[in-house]
Amino acid sequence: MVERLARGPASVTDLARPLPMSLAAVLQHLQVLEASGLVRSEKAGRVRTCRIEPAALRMAEDWLSRQRTAWEQRLSRLGEYLAEQPDPADERSMP
């Protein structure tokens, strides 16, 4: 849904059409996205139109970027630690 909304506003019906879930399930997902501030919707008559909130999406992207950096540093340290450890196969072949 977020990927679709990144291309522009869409009605709930349009968002639901390609998804293998009920309209009620789509509405639940949209409620979560709205509660998080990532999506905003407005109703005109019987049509509810949703749009992405770019500022909130940028904040999420910034957070993910910071987390990615921390994860990469941790994995790098783990790789260095594992490279320093003796190979268990070598220890088994010793008399």
Side-chain angles (χ1 to χ4, degrees), residues 15-81:
L15 289 171
R17 190 172 291 122
L19 301 173
M21 62 177 71
S22 68
L23 186 58
V26 169
L27 287 169
Q28 285 181 326
H29 285 280
L30 286 170
Q31 286 174 344
V32 170
L33 291 171
E34 279 193 83
S36 70
L38 293 172
V39 170
R40 182 171 44 99
S41 72
E42 51 194 39
K43 191 170 183 178
R46 293 176 46 160
V47 177
R48 178 167 295 281
T49 302
C50 301
R51 61 182 30 86
I52 203 85
E53 282 294 324
L57 197 56
R58 274 190 291 278
M59 285 176 40
E61 183 180 23
D62 291 344
W63 181 84
L64 285 169
S65 178
R66 288 190 306 274
Q67 295 305 308
R68 181 180 303 115
T69 299
W71 297 329
E72 287 171 350
Q73 289 171 347
R74 289 178 187 142
L75 286 172
S76 179
R77 286 195 307 264
L78 176 61
E80 291 168 5
Y81 171 78

